[in-house]
Amino acid sequence: MKDMWQDLIYINSGSIATGEATISEIGTKVFNKIIDIASGKEQACAEKYELHNDLCIFNPALIT
């Protein structure tokens, strides 16, 4: 999926399953990405492509 959606998936955590990376390594990458985006150093793809969803705390739709 990372290869198909390079612009929407930041970090390939599948490398843990293949043995190419450890949980600690991927966790560090995730942490650093969060810090970079939160600090404004990088822009999130959702912001760049204007993919916004409204936050819905209560969904009045029927549950099926």
Side-chain angles (χ1 to χ4, degrees):
M1 288 180 63
K2 170 86 170 113
D3 293 336
M4 290 176 17
W5 293 328
Q6 296 173 9
D7 55 344
L8 293 178
I9 297 176
Y10 300 100
I11 297 168
N12 179 14
S13 61
S15 57
I16 296 170
T18 61
E20 298 171 44
T22 65
I23 293 173
S24 178
E25 291 170 337
I26 297 300
T28 300
K29 285 184 180 183
V30 170
F31 177 79
N32 289 332
K33 182 62 74 175
I34 291 169
I35 296 299
D36 289 345
I37 291 173
S39 68
K41 192 176 189 181
E42 289 185 31
Q43 187 178 28
C45 290
E47 290 178 334
K48 184 171 27 175
Y49 298 122
E50 298 181 2
L51 301 172
H52 301 287
N53 291 325
D54 292 329
L55 176 64
C56 183
I57 295 173
F58 173 73
N59 185 351
L62 298 174
I63 298 174
T64 57

